[in-house]
Each structure stands twice: as C-alpha cells, then as structure tokens.
Amino acid sequence: MKPITILAIESSCDDTSAAVLQDGWLLSNVVAGQDVHKAYGGVVPELASRAHQQNIVPVVDYALQQAGIQKNQLSAIAFTSGPGLIGSLFVGATFAKAMALALNIPLIAVNHMRAHVLAHFIDEPKPQFPFLCLTVSGGHTQIVKVNNYLDMEVVGETTDDAAGEAFDKTAKLLGLPYPGGPLIDQYAKLGNPDAYVFPEGKTREPFGFSFSGLKTSVLYFLQKNTQNNPQFIGEHLYDICASVQKTIVSTLLKRLKKAARHYGITHVAIAGGVSANSELRRELEVLGKQMKWHTYIPQFQYCTDNAGMIAMAAWYQYLEADFTNQYAVPKARFPIAEG
Ligand code: KG4
Ligand code: ZN
C-alpha cells in the first residue's frame, strides 16, 4: 500500500519550519530562525511575516530534499492554523493551501498548542493516556489533560503573561537580547538561586498561573538597586537570573503537582519552548521521583516551535480524516474515515 506522506508547515511566530512525516515517522524537520528580532526585545510581527515570506520556499524545498521525497509523493499538506501572529500564520496557511490545491491533495489545519503536546509522540517513550502536559511557551502557559491524541482539555492556564514571556521580559529588563529565556537558563547555571526572593504569582483558579507581577517586582528590584550602584546588574547578573528562574520553575511545578493530585494522574509531561529550560527539566525529574510519576521530557529540538510537531498532530488528524478542504479529499484508507 502507498505510504501516507505529510508535508507540514509551521509559521505561527518567528520560526519558519517544514517537516516531512511518513506513516507516523518523522523523515525531516527543518527550522529557520529569525535573528532580525534580537535587537527589539521581542518579535516584531511585520518583520516576522516578511522573513517567513523569504524563508518559506527554501525551507520547504530543503525539508523535502532531506526526506528524499518528491512533491508528487505527498498525501497531504498540514499547516499551523493558530494560535499565533496573524501575518505569520497567513504566510504558512496561504502557502499550504496553494500547494494542496496545485497537487490536489488534502489540507490539514493544525492547532499549534495541541501540536506542542503531540510532539511527545515523535519519539519513545510515548506517554500513556491520560496524561497531564504542562505546555509552556512564549505565548501560552497551560496544564492540559490529554485523554487521547485529539481529545484534550485545558484545566489551567495563565491569566496574564506566559512563562516564556516572564523569562523574555525579565531578560529585557536585564538588557539581554530576545529571546531571553535561553540566556537566563545559561547564566542561571553560574548563579545562586537563593540570592534574591521574588514573589510567586497567585490566582483564584486552582491550576491557574499569573506571571505579570514577577516582571513588575523585578523592575522595582532593579530600579532600587541600580540607583546607588549603576553596575548592579552586571555584578549580580547570574544570581538575578538564577533567582528569577527558580521562581518561575517553582510556580509551574507547584500547580502541576496540585493538578496531578486532583486528577489522580501519574503520567506527566512538559512541552513548549520553556520545556527546554534545564532547571525545569531537572526539577520535574526530581518531583517525578518523589511523586512516583512517569515523566516525559521532549528532546530539545521538539520543545521550541518546529514543523515536526505539526506533522505529528497532522498524522493523527489524517487518520480521522480531519481535513479542511473536503472537496479535494480522496477517501482516507482507514476504516475510521470511511464510515
Ligand atoms: O514554543 P516556542 O518556541 O514559541 C511559542 O509558541 O511561543 O517558545 C518560545 C519561548 C520563548 O519565550 C523563549 O524565551 C522560551 O520559549 N525558551 C526558554 C528556553 N528556551 C526557549 N525559556 C527558558 N529556558 C530555555 N532554555
Ligand atoms: Zn510554540
């Protein structure tokens, strides 16, 4: 039987990515980052869309080449439909639609946050259902109860800033370039996490998060300390990074523990850009041992935005014949789609 080969495109924020997956196996995953935002302390939407326009054709060509796949071998095209920056999403969506139309193959619209969770199914060990996934990125912070591949409930989320935003905004206050999360992670390794105490945000929601207060408290802390010593940040950078990181990680894991207890779930995963954080990865393992959880920590390349995770989500949607252009759809070969 002809294999099912999916080309997936991710362009929700500032990474242009394309991946090829065949019968559930990832064959290639190409990511082109955008250095243009570094100087601005955050992603500039207009610049992101323009960079996607420049990158999309070479990135797709390279992903196909790496996978050894010709366009006429493709069974479907998947793209990130949201959430994300609208101009950035448009580039990927329009490209995918045009290509699906030209090849007369199905189109699969993938939710970016669901894809972060399903990145866990790219490699072994694959989580067992139901599991809880702490999905932490630059735009979202959620605890997701994952009942099945396509059946997920958000049981808690942030009421203001996302965890990645807390890292990036703190980094900006410290004069570090965007994205600040990886740099804070790196500098924190050299600092004392107990040097300073910052408040953990509280919310009324049992499994909710709030990170906007942390950013304000870091701002006041820096204003106070740099008044008499303009060199304060440079002299204490590592300790500040370690202390802020400890606050964010501790807040995340406390809520995750509470949710796991509440739902009686012992399979626990992390996903999204912030799941690349070394302290979060380490502390989750420690907590997992204490709580006797099975923990799932993704490979670094599948933490931050990548089309591999979009392809994985698209694979499960393909099996359910969840296509967006019904007219162009040949009958799926799986019984579930033929009913
Ligand atoms: O999932 P992602 O690539 O994009 C979104 O969907 O937002 O996540 C990007 C976020 C940024 O805020 C970035 O600073 C953060 O992930 N991040 C990290 C680390 N690597 C990426 N935060 C903390 N430590 C890291 N090592
Ligand atoms: Zn993301």
Side-chain angles (χ1 to χ4, degrees):
M1 203 184 293
K2 192 179 163 228
I4 297 209
T5 311
I6 299 174
L7 168 71
I9 293 162
E10 152 65 29
S11 70
S12 64
C13 191
D14 60 338
D15 290 305
T16 317
S17 182
V20 178
L21 177 138
Q22 193 166 64
D23 284 342
W25 296 96
L26 197 59
L27 302 182
S28 67
N29 187 24
V30 175
V31 183
Q34 302 180 358
D35 283 346
V36 68
H37 308 287
K38 272 204 165 93
Y40 296 92
V43 176
V44 184
E46 171 71 19
L47 297 179
S49 315
R50 285 170 189 266
H52 284 307
Q53 283 283 16
Q54 284 171 349
N55 294 342
I56 190 108
V57 172
V59 165
V60 166
D61 278 348
Y62 194 47
L64 288 167
Q65 189 193 319
Q66 291 255 301
I69 293 292
Q70 303 295 318
K71 292 185 187 76
N72 61 9
Q73 290 175 268
L74 293 172
S75 318
I77 314 268
F79 68 99
T80 305
S81 59
L85 300 171
I86 193 67
S88 291
L89 289 167
F90 269 162
V91 177
T94 310
F95 186 94
K97 284 181 183 182
M99 198 161 167
L101 195 64
L103 296 171
N104 193 29
I105 53 177
L107 189 64
I108 304 173
V110 174
N111 176 283
H112 182 86
M113 300 312 293
R114 185 196 262 179
H116 269 303
V117 174
L118 294 175
H120 279 285
F121 293 88
I122 295 174
D123 291 318
E124 297 295 335
K126 295 182 170 56
Q128 185 183 307
F129 299 115
F131 68 95
L132 281 186
C133 187
L134 173 72
T135 313
V136 269
S137 69
H140 292 81
T141 298
Q142 302 177 329
I143 296 178
V144 185
K145 183 167 170 279
V146 188
N147 302 318
N148 212 321
Y149 300 108
L150 303 178
D151 176 9
M152 303 183 192
E153 302 163 55
V154 177
V155 297
E157 59 188 328
T158 181
T159 50
D160 42 55
D161 289 353
E165 234 176 321
F167 274 108
D168 297 337
K169 286 181 176 171
T170 302
K172 193 174 180 184
L173 294 172
L174 295 171
L176 302 175
Y178 178 86
L183 281 175
I184 292 192
D185 188 354
Q186 195 182 317
Y187 295 151
K189 291 193 175 93
L190 306 167
N192 172 10
D194 299 314
Y196 307 106
V197 176
F198 295 105
E200 287 189 15
K202 292 199 169 51
T203 58
R204 286 199 190 148
E205 306 302 321
F207 316 122
F209 303 93
S210 169
F211 287 107
S212 63
L214 174 63
K215 166 193 65 194
T216 314
S217 108
V218 173
L219 175 69
Y220 291 157
F221 167 83
L222 294 177
Q223 280 174 347
K224 194 175 112 206
N225 285 289
T226 50
Q227 236 166 24
N228 298 325
N229 177 12
Q231 310 305 321
F232 179 81
I233 294 180
E235 288 167 5
H236 301 277
L237 182 63
Y238 300 156
D239 286 348
I240 303 170
C241 288
S243 303
V244 168
Q245 178 173 276
K246 183 184 172 184
T247 311
I248 297 173
V249 169
S250 150
T251 310
L252 292 170
L253 292 182
K254 273 185 194 162
R255 295 310 186 308
L256 185 60
K257 183 174 163 186
K258 200 172 166 190
R261 272 205 174 124
H262 176 84
Y263 290 101
I265 290 179
T266 55
H267 290 256
V268 179
I270 52 174
V274 179
S275 67
N277 183 267
S278 50
E279 169 93 354
L280 178 60
R281 297 165 81 92
R282 190 174 48 244
E283 288 300 314
L284 176 67
E285 287 206 9
V286 172
L287 181 63
K289 282 204 178 91
Q290 270 172 21
M291 303 297 294
K292 300 199 176 10
W293 289 345
H294 300 265
T295 52
Y296 305 91
I297 299 175
Q299 273 188 45
F300 285 110
Q301 56 176 324
Y302 305 130
C303 292
T304 45
D305 291 347
N306 67 92
M309 67 185 195
I310 304 299
M312 203 67 236
W315 166 245
Y316 294 111
Q317 290 181 237
Y318 190 102
L319 299 184
E320 300 274 343
D322 178 8
F323 304 127
T324 64
N325 57 343
Q326 294 294 340
Y327 310 113
V329 176
K331 263 199 155 188
R333 72 175 203 213
F334 296 91
I336 194 159
E338 288 169 5

